[in-house]
Amino acid sequence: MRSKVIRLICPRFTKLTIAKAIPRIQLATFLLMGLLLIAGASAAQEAVSESASGKTRDGAAVPPRRVLVIGIDGTRTDALQAANTPHLDRLIQDGQLWTNTQILGDRPTQNDTVSGPGWTSFLTGVWADKHGVNDNRFEGRNVDAYPHFFARVRHAYPAARMGSFVDWKPIDDYLVRDADVRVCHESHGASEYEQNDGKLATAAAAFLRDDDPHVVMVYFGMADESGHAHGFHPSVRPYVDAIARVDERVGQVLNAMQERPNYAQEQWLVVVSTDHGGQGTGHGSGHEIPAIRQTWLIVSGDRRSPNPPASSVATSTEPSPSYLVDVSVTALEHLGIPLDPAWQLDGKALRFDSPPHPPAADEPVSHSRKALSENE
């Protein structure tokens, strides 16, 4: 039947000519596939060259390196160490953990130890006496003068691709700017935060995997809501389990980043921290309470080169602690953005001089190995 149809349509096309044509068709298909593979390899090489040169295909400047910033709301250091967090452990093995991170600076300020001033300091690199956010109402904010660090990136590299993923809405309402991709799932209560943290992880992973981002910021709120509901303490199982659940979301995001075709050439830095700890079921008025005001910070990736001026760098071997305002400054410095004194940043770019600290081949990863600070 098939040959009759062929003859009807193409009367001069006999079975013999069809048989002769098949190898030619196969050869043409093979050659076309080869050309497509070569084109794909060429495009990938161009992408690597663009990443290394700090320019897009049309010549626009982009950062020569890339940054993923993760914020995990309301996570005490001892509870982090008690939780099952293999993905955060992996970051620590490839970088450094500070367990003495201060959410307040040396200057007296009027801000409460709550999320509004905490995340504003985290994202702007300055304390509340400058950014003006003292509580969760965000009244008196001065974030035009002291903006989200995305604004600094956009000014230096107009073609940079940036994404923000949050589920505490005030961050998106009052702080986020200059994001090419902006996802916010407003949440209330632990169950909503758990659900929406998952949505954020999926959206951020898709952005990392399918787009070409240079800077990504992801916020997870479930742990803080669990602390308010059940208590902020390593002995409180729902709170510790919530931290472990957030770690799963972190793993989803990290896997997407590391699956990027040119990941090895893109020089990603990952910075993770929190806005405050907690005591009982709250964290307000915690200026003199270590469990609230002293937290943790992870920097993962190669922070041993290039070498910026010593005045802009703090290392984990110094006696002074790290600070919440160091997060965005560390990100900016890694992206190759000169830190302009006119910005009046309070943070320092964190760095560790020693190589990463992986466990020995026969040593299991334990939470005690997380204490890789200057107190070690």
Side-chain angles (χ1 to χ4, degrees):
M1 178 64 71
R2 186 178 300 165
S3 62
K4 290 181 181 178
V5 173
I6 291 172
R7 287 194 187 102
L8 180 63
I9 298 172
C10 305
R12 298 178 61 188
F13 221 51
T14 65
K15 290 181 180 179
L16 180 60
T17 58
I18 291 171
K20 289 181 178 179
I22 287 173
R24 296 176 183 175
I25 294 171
Q26 291 174 333
L27 177 60
T29 302
F30 177 78
L31 290 172
L32 178 60
M33 291 177 64
L35 289 171
L36 289 173
L37 288 172
I38 292 171
S42 176
Q45 185 58 47
E46 285 182 19
V48 172
S49 298
E50 289 168 11
S51 178
S53 67
K55 292 186 179 296
T56 61
R57 195 169 300 173
D58 61 3
V62 294
R65 294 175 291 276
R66 308 190 186 215
V67 168
L68 169 63
V69 175
I70 300 175
I72 305 176
D73 204 314
T75 307
R76 280 177 54 146
T77 304
D78 51 5
L80 177 75
Q81 293 174 318
N84 180 29
T85 55
H87 303 291
L88 292 172
D89 289 346
R90 177 159 50 108
L91 289 176
I92 294 165
Q93 290 173 38
D94 292 333
Q96 188 76 55
L97 171 73
W98 281 259
T99 58
N100 61 353
T101 305
Q102 302 296 315
I103 69 167
L104 300 169
D106 297 329
R107 297 191 306 271
T109 57
Q110 301 301 313
N111 65 287
D112 200 356
T113 51
V114 294
S115 289
W119 291 115
T120 308
S121 294
F122 182 107
L123 293 168
T124 65
V126 300
W127 296 119
D129 58 342
K130 292 180 181 177
H131 62 61
V133 178
N134 291 314
D135 52 38
N136 290 344
R137 295 174 296 176
F138 284 81
E139 295 176 356
R141 61 188 180 278
N142 191 24
V143 294
D144 287 332
Y146 302 99
H148 190 301
F149 78 97
F150 278 15
R152 310 295 189 191
V153 180
R154 180 67 69 213
H155 183 264
Y157 297 109
R161 290 284 291 170
M162 296 185 285
S164 173
F165 304 83
V166 304
D167 53 10
W168 191 51
K169 193 170 182 291
I171 294 176
D172 190 69
D173 286 344
Y174 301 119
L175 300 178
V176 177
R177 57 189 289 183
D178 292 292
D180 299 288
V181 174
R182 186 168 173 171
V183 177
C184 177
H185 294 294
E186 183 175 2
S187 304
H188 302 279
S191 61
E192 277 193 20
Y193 273 100
E194 179 176 11
Q195 180 181 10
N196 288 329
D197 278 3
K199 292 179 181 178
L200 291 176
T202 298
F207 182 55
L208 282 159
R209 184 175 53 250
D210 303 329
D211 207 307
D212 191 27
H214 300 91
V215 188
V216 182
M217 192 278 167
V218 189
Y219 163 97
F220 296 117
M222 178 186 173
D224 181 68
E225 286 299 314
S226 181
H228 284 299
H230 304 284
F232 293 87
H233 197 272
S235 65
V236 177
R237 179 49 54 188
Y239 178 54
V240 173
D241 287 346
I243 296 171
R245 185 67 171 150
V246 170
D247 181 76
E248 294 176 11
R249 307 305 191 195
V250 170
Q252 184 178 348
V253 174
L254 292 177
N255 288 340
M257 178 189 73
Q258 293 169 346
E259 289 168 2
R260 289 179 55 76
N262 301 315
Y263 170 73
Q265 291 79 33
E266 290 173 339
Q267 301 182 69
W268 283 88
L269 186 76
V270 183
V271 186
V272 192
S273 191
T274 187
D275 58 333
H276 54 70
Q279 182 169 275
T281 56
H283 46 72
S285 303
H287 294 74
E288 305 300 328
I289 302 174
I292 295 175
R293 66 164 292 155
Q294 181 165 310
T295 60
W296 54 274
L297 191 153
I298 298 169
V299 178
S300 187
D302 191 350
R303 291 293 296 149
R304 289 165 286 154
S305 62
N307 294 315
S311 61
S312 69
V313 176
T315 73
S316 64
T317 58
E318 292 180 351
S320 59
S322 60
Y323 291 90
L324 194 60
V325 291
D326 296 338
V327 172
S328 56
V329 179
T330 300
L332 289 170
E333 195 274 335
H334 182 75
L335 292 167
I337 297 174
L339 304 178
D340 188 340
W343 297 344
Q344 301 178 50
L345 298 175
D346 292 318
K348 298 286 187 182
L350 295 173
R351 176 179 306 280
F352 47 91
D353 291 335
S354 58
H357 299 260
D362 58 348
E363 178 187 353
V365 177
S366 67
H367 292 286
S368 63
R369 283 200 63 83
K370 290 183 174 181
L372 300 175
S373 68
E374 68 272 14
N375 298 320
E376 189 174 42

